[in-house]
Amino acid sequence: MRIDILTLFPGMFTGFLEGSLLGAARAAGLVDVRVRDIREFAEGPHRQVDDRPYGGGPGMLLMPGPVVDCVEAVQAEADAGRVVMLTPGGRRLDQALVEQLAKFERIVLVCGRYEGFDARIRETLDADEISIGDYVLSGGEVAAMVIVDAVARLLPGVLGHEASADQDSFSGADRLVEGPQYTRPREFRGLAVPEVLLSGDHGRIARWRREQSVAATSRRESASQTPFQRSTS
Ligand code: ADE
């Protein structure tokens, strides 16, 4: 799979692309991730990429010219691919959407900065918009990293253990979260590993894990309805 990331801050991706899982996947040729600087496509002595919104309002918007030229330049290098703009108002990312993205041969991720994009960018490129959650980031770069990370680990051969992606939270038809897991030592500060996990009875372990997953999923649903606060104890 090839992923192009278009940004005004290419330096933000340096450490990220070299990181363990992704760095190894790139080195093994399992995923080809390329970063392009939108400013290369800006014109004039100041290489301007943004301007004030018509009709007034705060901040600056990315101008259509440099963004569209940059997307078209990377599209010309290979087939057009799916163009995705990262915006807080886009379709919310979840594991089902990550799975769909992982099936594309090629995606082009466009990171916004400032107050957003001129609306004609999306129209011209026939782009999709994705948000990584209902909060506002200072730009799309972190959101692009989230997508690349989540998509890359689903590509064949990227995870060491082939089965591990289907055991993840939100995988499988019912999209449950994972329940608690334990490793050594068998007892830590008075907390013992549940006896069932030491039983060697795989049927019982699978049933217990499933119950724990269902319980963790419903606890998570109710937790999201209550305010996040410091415990008083
Ligand atoms: N850019 C700013 N906020 C964002 C968000 N929540 N998701 C994706 N891109 C963004």
Side-chain angles (χ1 to χ4, degrees):
M1 178 181 206
R2 172 163 163 180
I3 305 176
D4 290 273
I5 302 168
L6 280 46
T7 172
L8 289 168
F9 297 91
M12 286 180 70
F13 292 89
T14 315
F16 169 70
L17 291 177
E18 284 155 16
S20 64
L21 191 80
L22 190 57
R26 290 173 64 230
L30 300 169
V31 59
D32 178 7
V33 186
R34 303 185 193 198
V35 179
R36 276 308 273 268
D37 188 348
I38 295 169
R39 203 174 291 276
E40 276 177 38
F41 296 84
E43 285 170 7
H46 300 294
R47 297 199 158 244
Q48 189 181 354
V49 289
D50 60 325
D51 212 333
R52 291 192 303 274
Y54 280 115
M60 305 284 268
L61 297 178
L62 287 180
M63 298 157 76
V67 177
V68 170
D69 287 350
C70 187
V71 170
E72 287 176 349
V74 302
Q75 284 181 324
E77 293 171 5
D79 68 314
R82 198 82 214 124
V83 181
V84 174
M85 294 162 58
L86 285 322
T87 60
R91 173 174 169 178
R92 217 179 295 130
L93 187 72
D94 58 16
Q95 191 66 18
L97 181 50
V98 171
E99 286 166 13
Q100 290 172 41
L101 292 170
K103 295 198 177 105
F104 287 103
E105 279 300 307
R106 176 156 200 228
I107 49 179
V108 179
L109 301 175
V110 189
C111 305
R113 277 269 148 174
Y114 315 109
E115 293 303 310
F117 296 98
D118 181 293
R120 292 165 294 183
I121 296 175
R122 178 172 181 218
E123 224 177 303
T124 309
L125 298 171
D126 188 26
D128 289 306
E129 288 182 55
I130 294 181
S131 159
I132 61 161
D134 291 353
Y135 40 80
V136 181
L137 301 167
S138 50
E141 285 76 10
V142 170
M145 291 182 207
V146 167
I147 292 179
V148 172
D149 186 289
V151 166
R153 60 191 297 290
L154 294 187
L155 300 177
V158 171
L159 289 185
H161 194 279
E162 275 298 338
S164 35
D166 358 302
Q167 311 280 315
D168 283 341
S169 290
F170 315 114
S171 301
D174 41 19
R175 307 261 168 218
L176 299 175
V177 299
E178 266 189 274
Q181 304 222 69
Y182 300 85
T183 183
R184 290 196 296 171
R186 274 170 75 152
E187 193 176 310
F188 176 72
R189 298 194 178 179
L191 300 170
V193 173
E195 178 279 324
V196 55
L197 297 176
L198 311 172
S199 68
D201 179 341
H202 297 297
R204 224 179 117 215
I205 293 173
R207 283 193 298 283
W208 182 85
R209 285 195 167 140
R210 166 98 199 159
E211 284 158 22
Q212 294 292 320
S213 260
V214 171
T217 307
S218 76
R219 267 198 309 276
R220 180 171 183 266
E221 291 301 316
S222 34
S224 63
Q225 311 298 320
T226 47
F228 192 72
Q229 54 197 7
R230 280 168 48 168
S231 80
T232 47
S233 62

